[in-house]
Amino acid sequence: MTETLRDQGAGASPGGVQSPARTPVLELRNVSKRFPGVVALDDVSFDLFAGEVHVLVGENGAGKSTLVKLLSGIYQPDEGEILMDGAPIVLRDPHAAQTHGISTVHQELNLVPHLDVGKNIYLGREPMRAGGVIDWSALYRGAKEQLLRLNIGLDPHHRVSTLGVALQQMTEIAKALVAEARVLILDEPTAAITAEEAEQLFQIVDLLKAQGTAIILISHHLEDATRVGDRATVLRDGRYVDTVPMAGTSHRDLIRMMVGRDLTQQYPKEDIPIGAVALEVDGLTRHGVIEDISFQVRTGEIVALAGLVGAGRSEVARAIFGIDPLDGGTIRVAGQEVKIGTPGEAIESGIALLPEDRKQQGLVLLLPVADNIAMAAPGQTGAPRGLLPPMAKLRTARRYIESLKIKTPSPRQRVMYLSGGNQQKVVLAKWMLTHASIFIFDEPTRGIDVGAKVEVYRLMNELLRGGAAIVMISSELPEVLGMADRIMVMREGRIVAEFDHASATQEAIMSHAAAQTHEVEEAAA
Amino acid sequence: MTSRTSTAESTAVAGEQRRIRIGSVWATFGPLLSLIILSLLIWSQESVFMTSGNWTNIARQAALMAILGVGMTFVILTGGIDLSVGSILALSAVSGALLIDRHGWGMEAVLVTLGVGMLCGLINGLIITIGRIPPFIVTLGTMQIFRGVASEITAGEPISFLTASVPNFNIFGTRNLGPFPAPVIIAFCTFVVGFLILRYTRLGLYVFAIGGNETATRFSGVQINRYKLAVYTFMGLCCGVAAVMLSSRLNSAKADFATGEELNAIAAVVIGGTSLFGGEGTLVGTMIGALLMAVIRNGLTLMHISAFYQQIVIGAVIILAVLVDQLRRRKS
Ligand SMILES: Nc1ncnc2c1ncn2[C@@H]1O[C@H](COP(=O)(O)OP(=O)(O)OP(=O)(O)O)[C@@H](O)[C@H]1O
Ligand SMILES: [Mg+2]
């Protein structure tokens, strides 16, 4: 089925590209957008036809989200113009973009945490009854239907703040779908969800495309581009590189255009000697969330926690790091039992956690890059105890900006102005500076471009060589298979299977990750 | 039908959800419980406290805070604040009274009082939205300005004996409807209107949405400024309503009316469990908050405790209420 859909898509778009008679639904002509110290977009043109999926690719900071924000009325171009159906339009604010039929899922989640899922999905377009009264029952019914279309059986009365990132992302997508827009823009919709959920989304994208919706998709997963894309436009450093049909373009070609060079090895796994046990957890339990979690990680080793979203992987990390209280179990660091009640104690024990939600848990967005990096371990900047002179901060920050290739005009730039992927790198730098011996990475490469991913893996190798142990939580199976020495599969709060690097396969992991609930469903049916 | 992923996460979410629901029940019942316990405590000391006459008194005292509290709840839910409500009240009260006293107006003057209240609120809203100035600063300024205008147009003199020109003028303050004093009825109606707006209209939903995440709400295509304008104008209207009630009750109007009343209104909202950061809270809580403050004042007076001690107690209660609320939040 996928094949036929893809063929249709591929068949439809070259027609659009080749016949100049067809006007694009949306067009950017020679637009530029500058921020203090940064040219985010430099003379970029872009067009989008009805019934096509136009993929936008490029490294972190290439200007993809900026382009999206021009189209959704958040920024106005400094130069150039935006045309709809061939006529110039001005998108003064997000409301104007919506009245023009442009609906956007932004890269950074934009939900109201205290409101429930249903209200968020319909925010700004509530179904009304006579007399200016909101039709709540229609709203919740509609929200439930939208979620089911995405194959999410979530009660729309749930408060958004209680949901994990993946369900929040799905809520955000449902919200964009409700608009039934002519132009649907998806800025990295798949970064926080599993392949299965992504597939669900893509089937809807296929459907919308067949109905004539014009779609822009941004993704660092090139598989996504191949799966649904008709054409791809590549941006590099804010400049337009090329627009190519997806049919007949390989990932290698795309990467070369994005990065400007060939990428030799995607998962640079090294042979690093494995040493003594660095972290040992035994019987970790938090009732209703995780049950009887036991495993060891040795120095020089990467242990991955795989599983579906909601399987309790992040909860294990949070428990070890002292964020959530434990109902039972022990934690041993280098053979010594430690009591960890707060993140501070975890850091003292040599544990570092890179949280999955960088905006909420990883960064102080208003502070400069340098301050964010120095925050967790000011002592490691070389500054005298209790002091943190700007020079020490900046020097340290510069070191990481260079080694992680963080794209920022200066270490003094506020983190909020960095592109999504570069924010993630700042979180990485912050925790690397702690010189911890045990690193827990929760979705370390979420939102990071292909080139930078390799950098992150190299950095992991470097940490391992320096005698660290790594626990990696990842929903990206290729990454798990490519980098982990051992893989624990979690399901419903328990570890249900273990594989080593050699014996693991995508199919085996998935079948363990999903099995149980399958049976339950069948029993229920 | 349900996907595998979501079943797994849904169950995880359900427990969290239950915790939150219990939390929000406690949010309204906590203040209610303190209200009941406190009442029983005062009753055990002073038996007069539980007479219907005294409760009428309490309700009448609470009415002013309640009316202002309705508008203030809206404002605080959006993440804003309005420090100018006392001044708006005074300005709209003296405007109506001047028309009656010097220009021979009749009952229509009441509409002017309401109108002036709304206009002042609108002015606050316009400066906040167009000037993009924080509500705290704007209303700190207009608090002075409105009070100054009120003093100027009355030359600082009280305008008294309004019933001499309009005999019916006292109906909003002193008459009873059945067993209920007019101020209580007015407060109740204001509450019902506010409640219905919050529960059933877009404005109500957006009040929570803006306070919860303004950017997300704007990105959803909601024209935030319009709704903020509506909220501050509604706040102004509440001030106008309170002005009518107060000048009717006192049969006069004065430029120093309701000085400091903004702080009582804010206190009622906060004691009622509404977060000063916006996005979370209830109108019922505010009503209980207003009652609680009135009960404390009344009880302490009955027990012959000096006004100075009353201030100390009220201050402590505000901090305590928020502290309890914080502890509750931290748990859930
Ligand atoms: N509001 C802003 N102020 C200053 N600089 C900004 C602002 N928004 C974006 N930038 C800068 O503009 C450049 C392009 O950012 P953009 O978010 O468009 O990148 P992107 O291609 O979406 O990257 P990613 O893949 O990481 O999401 C980056 O260098 C970023 O730091
Ligand atoms: Mg981006």
Side-chain angles (χ1 to χ4, degrees):
Chain A
M1 179 194 140
T2 317
E3 281 310 308
T4 42
L5 280 172
R6 189 181 301 164
D7 289 344
Q8 276 173 9
S13 82
V17 185
Q18 282 152 16
S19 78
R22 249 179 86 193
T23 5
V25 180
L26 207 55
E27 195 181 344
L28 286 175
R29 245 183 230 163
N30 310 98
V31 294
S32 296
K33 179 72 192 169
R34 280 176 286 272
F35 298 109
V38 187
V39 183
L41 287 175
D42 185 5
D43 193 23
V44 169
S45 298
F46 177 86
D47 59 1
L48 179 70
F49 292 91
E52 80 160 338
V53 177
H54 195 151
V55 187
L56 208 49
V57 291
E59 289 180 293
N60 296 131
K64 307 179 294 294
S65 297
T66 304
L67 191 150
V68 166
K69 286 177 181 163
L70 292 177
L71 292 177
S72 48
I74 292 165
Y75 298 149
Q76 277 65 48
D78 294 330
E79 279 149 40
E81 53 181 358
I82 303 173
L83 297 92
M84 188 164 227
D85 301 318
I89 54 170
V90 177
L91 301 172
R92 209 171 354 96
D93 55 22
H95 183 78
Q98 293 205 343
T99 38
H100 279 98
I102 302 170
S103 177
T104 310
V105 172
H106 289 283
Q107 178 174 14
E108 310 298 342
L109 287 170
N110 273 295
L111 298 168
V112 184
H114 299 317
L115 294 185
D116 64 29
V117 170
K119 286 175 182 161
N120 266 291
I121 289 180
Y122 276 97
L123 193 60
R125 54 185 90 254
E126 299 77 12
M128 300 300 281
R129 277 210 298 245
V133 171
I134 296 178
D135 190 344
W136 290 116
S137 61
L139 185 147
Y140 287 107
R141 212 177 328 112
K144 191 151 189 105
E145 270 167 30
Q146 286 299 336
L147 289 166
L148 280 178
R149 262 176 88 187
L150 290 163
N151 211 5
I152 300 289
L154 176 70
D155 180 353
H157 288 91
H158 279 322
R159 240 180 196 236
V160 160
S161 60
T162 62
L163 305 180
V165 198
L167 279 182
Q168 290 194 14
Q169 180 70 69
M170 293 311 262
T171 303
E172 185 95 45
I173 291 169
K175 177 175 164 182
L177 293 179
V178 161
E180 294 185 357
R182 290 182 65 199
V183 177
L184 176 64
I185 307 177
L186 303 165
D187 192 351
E188 296 199 30
T190 57
I193 58 182
T194 59
E196 302 205 351
E197 289 157 324
E199 179 52 33
Q200 213 67 51
L201 169 63
F202 292 150
Q203 284 181 15
I204 292 175
V205 166
D206 286 333
L207 212 74
L208 291 175
K209 193 165 88 171
Q211 291 166 3
T213 310
I215 297 161
I216 300 175
L217 174 75
I218 296 177
S219 176
H220 287 297
H221 302 306
L222 294 179
E223 309 83 62
D224 294 352
T226 329
R227 165 69 181 80
V228 286
D230 299 313
R231 288 191 296 159
T233 288
V234 184
L235 295 179
R236 193 198 310 151
D237 288 333
R239 286 203 199 85
Y240 173 87
V241 177
D242 202 1
T243 302
V244 293
M246 278 310 295
T249 307
S250 68
H251 287 183
R252 232 184 115 133
D253 299 335
L254 279 180
I255 291 172
R256 194 178 323 107
M257 282 190 276
M258 280 165 62
V259 188
R261 60 188 154 85
D262 258 320
L263 212 59
T264 43
Q265 200 183 4
Q266 228 176 335
Y267 300 104
K269 178 88 188 140
E270 280 178 19
D271 231 351
I272 292 161
I274 289 174
V277 176
L279 173 74
E280 181 176 7
V281 298
D282 193 18
L284 287 193
T285 299
R286 183 163 187 249
H287 295 308
V289 185
I290 52 174
E291 297 289 337
D292 195 22
I293 300 291
S294 305
F295 63 88
Q296 297 180 337
V297 197
R298 293 166 176 279
T299 59
E301 185 184 43
I302 298 180
V303 171
L305 294 180
L308 298 177
V309 169
R313 296 168 303 166
S314 298
E315 284 70 15
V316 170
R318 291 169 63 93
I320 296 175
F321 200 61
I323 299 171
D324 297 332
L326 278 174
D327 292 321
T330 55
I331 300 170
R332 261 187 280 273
V333 173
Q336 296 280 12
E337 182 165 343
V338 289
K339 283 265 168 284
I340 296 174
T342 63
E345 287 166 19
I347 294 173
E348 262 169 46
S349 305
I351 303 175
L353 169 69
L354 279 90
E356 76 178 317
D357 184 348
R358 61 171 172 261
K359 246 176 113 175
Q360 296 293 330
Q361 301 159 359
L363 294 166
V364 182
L365 292 172
L366 275 170
L367 286 181
V369 172
D371 296 59
N372 270 285
I373 292 178
M375 190 156 19
Q380 299 288 353
T381 56
R385 204 176 158 74
L387 296 178
L388 188 51
M391 274 322 295
K393 246 179 351 201
L394 294 176
R395 202 178 334 109
T396 310
R398 285 209 185 88
R399 207 171 73 224
Y400 283 100
I401 287 170
E402 193 178 322
S403 67
L404 294 180
K405 302 193 173 63
I406 299 173
K407 192 159 180 273
T408 172
S410 117
R412 293 193 186 84
Q413 179 80 325
R414 291 184 176 188
V415 167
M416 59 190 285
Y417 297 129
L418 261 54
S419 79
N422 284 300
Q423 290 183 357
Q424 179 72 6
K425 291 186 192 172
V426 174
V427 185
L428 271 171
K430 164 178 161 183
W431 288 108
M432 291 182 56
L433 181 63
T434 62
H435 294 287
S437 55
I438 298 151
F439 285 85
I440 307 174
F441 288 87
D442 197 351
E443 306 288 358
T445 61
R446 171 174 295 166
I448 287 194
D449 69 54
V450 278
K453 263 183 198 170
V454 180
E455 298 301 326
V456 171
Y457 301 140
R458 294 235 161 82
L459 281 158
M460 284 186 178
N461 285 336
E462 208 172 289
L463 291 172
L464 293 176
R465 258 187 268 119
I470 294 178
V471 178
M472 178 174 80
I473 298 169
S474 171
S475 297
E476 263 185 69
L477 279 182
E479 168 175 294
V480 168
L481 292 168
M483 292 304 294
D485 296 288
R486 282 185 298 130
I487 299 157
M488 312 275 173
V489 185
M490 283 191 66
R491 185 179 71 218
E492 292 174 356
R494 291 169 186 283
I495 293 178
V496 293
E498 183 181 337
F499 298 94
D500 60 22
H501 185 70
S503 70
T505 65
Q506 195 145 339
E507 292 71 30
I509 293 176
M510 278 321 291
S511 76
H512 280 283
Q516 180 72 29
T517 11
H518 241 351
E519 287 159 23
V520 172
E521 265 170 51
E522 278 159 22
Chain B
M1 182 69 229
T2 326
S3 84
R4 280 171 271 154
T5 320
S6 53
T7 35
E9 187 155 358
S10 287
T11 41
V13 167
E16 191 77 2
Q17 207 72 35
R18 211 171 315 116
R19 227 171 290 161
I20 283 191
R21 215 165 294 140
I22 293 168
S24 68
V25 167
W26 170 249
T28 28
F29 280 95
L32 187 60
L33 206 67
S34 350
L35 181 61
I36 293 171
I37 293 173
L38 200 73
S39 301
L40 293 176
L41 219 74
I42 300 174
W43 189 24
S44 69
Q45 300 295 311
E46 290 292 332
S47 52
V48 224
F49 179 77
M50 262 318 165
T51 57
S52 68
N54 190 49
W55 272 100
T56 313
N57 239 332
I58 294 174
R60 202 179 283 134
Q61 279 183 19
L64 180 62
M65 271 180 283
I67 295 169
L68 297 178
V70 171
M72 194 62 84
T73 307
F74 275 65
V75 170
I76 292 182
L77 279 175
T78 63
I81 193 94
D82 192 339
L83 299 175
S84 68
V85 294
S87 304
I88 297 182
L89 197 162
L91 179 55
S92 43
V94 299
S95 306
L98 274 180
L99 289 177
I100 291 175
D101 193 57
R102 313 248 164 102
H103 302 274
W105 283 47
M107 267 317 208
E108 324 78 79
V110 164
L111 294 178
V112 173
T113 303
L114 298 180
V116 169
M118 288 175 76
L119 184 69
C120 292
L122 182 69
I123 292 173
N124 278 338
L126 284 173
I127 305 177
I128 290 165
T129 51
I130 296 176
R132 297 193 196 177
I133 305 174
F136 186 95
I137 314 270
V138 171
T139 57
L140 188 65
T142 56
M143 173 170 83
Q144 306 282 337
I145 296 173
F146 295 149
R147 183 79 66 187
V149 173
S151 304
E152 175 58 37
I153 59 176
T154 58
E157 296 294 320
I159 306 163
S160 313
F161 301 115
L162 294 169
T163 42
S165 332
V166 184
N168 262 340
F169 189 72
N170 62 357
I171 56 169
F172 305 109
T174 56
R175 301 274 175 84
N176 280 21
L177 196 76
F180 300 110
V184 176
I185 307 267
I186 295 174
F188 183 73
C189 292
T190 315
F191 161 72
V192 170
V193 170
F195 184 84
L196 293 178
I197 295 177
L198 277 188
R199 183 93 187 75
Y200 292 105
T201 68
R202 286 202 163 156
L203 172 61
L205 175 58
Y206 296 160
V207 161
F208 284 98
I210 292 170
N213 185 342
E214 187 166 329
T215 316
T217 311
R218 189 158 51 85
F219 284 12
S220 303
V222 176
Q223 289 176 302
I224 289 191
N225 285 355
R226 280 193 201 174
Y227 291 96
K228 281 192 177 170
L229 278 183
V231 165
Y232 285 93
T233 309
F234 178 66
M235 175 80 253
L237 177 62
C238 291
C239 297
V241 171
V244 170
M245 189 204 79
L246 199 64
S247 50
S248 169
R249 194 170 90 200
L250 302 176
N251 199 11
S252 65
K254 239 177 108 186
D256 65 357
F257 255 18
T259 306
E261 202 57 47
E262 56 280 342
L263 298 181
N264 286 331
I266 294 169
V269 174
V270 171
I271 292 175
T274 296
S275 159
L276 268 182
F277 298 113
E280 276 186 304
T282 65
L283 217 45
V284 178
T286 301
M287 296 302 106
I288 296 173
L291 261 182
L292 197 68
M293 301 239 303
V295 162
I296 293 173
R297 286 224 175 93
N298 175 277
L300 295 177
T301 310
L302 288 182
M303 292 192 271
H304 305 293
I305 292 172
S306 83
F308 306 135
Y309 272 112
Q310 292 188 20
Q311 276 188 318
I312 297 174
V313 172
I314 300 255
V317 165
I318 295 172
I319 295 175
L320 206 68
V322 178
L323 185 70
V324 170
D325 198 50
Q326 280 299 324
L327 294 177
R328 169 185 69 84
R329 268 172 229 272
R330 224 172 287 159
K331 272 218 192 92
S332 60

